[in-house]
Amino acid sequence: MLDGAGRVVDKHELMNVLGAVRGYAEMLREDLGSRYPDIEAGLVSLLASVGEAQGEDAAAPTEHRIVDSDPGFILAVDDRQGKP
């Protein structure tokens, strides 16, 4: 997704990867809560970096959300032909 000089070659694919990283980091942060402060700090830093790369405010998220619902399903669709 980056060339030899670190320039973005395929921004669409890069944003997809960053979105996935962000989603998993947010889920992990919700699951762990504040039981593991070192991991919590690393995830906050990671989420701030991903947000900055996606053009968002660099401020790290600080809120903890509690989900009180049954687990759901995620449908992932790749709409780009020809890419493995």
Side-chain angles (χ1 to χ4, degrees), residues 13 78 80-84:
E13 291 296 325
D78 184 0
R80 298 188 69 186
Q81 289 183 335
K83 288 273 191 174

Side-chain angles (χ1 to χ4, degrees), residues 40-79:
E40 169 83 5
L43 290 171
V44 167
S45 177
L46 175 66
L47 288 168
S49 296
V50 168
E52 185 177 330
Q54 291 178 323
E56 298 173 1
D57 186 3
T62 57
E63 67 184 49
H64 287 283
R65 293 179 284 155
I66 297 174
V67 178
D68 290 331
S69 64
D70 293 330
F73 297 92
I74 297 174
L75 172 63
V77 178
D78 184 0
D79 60 349

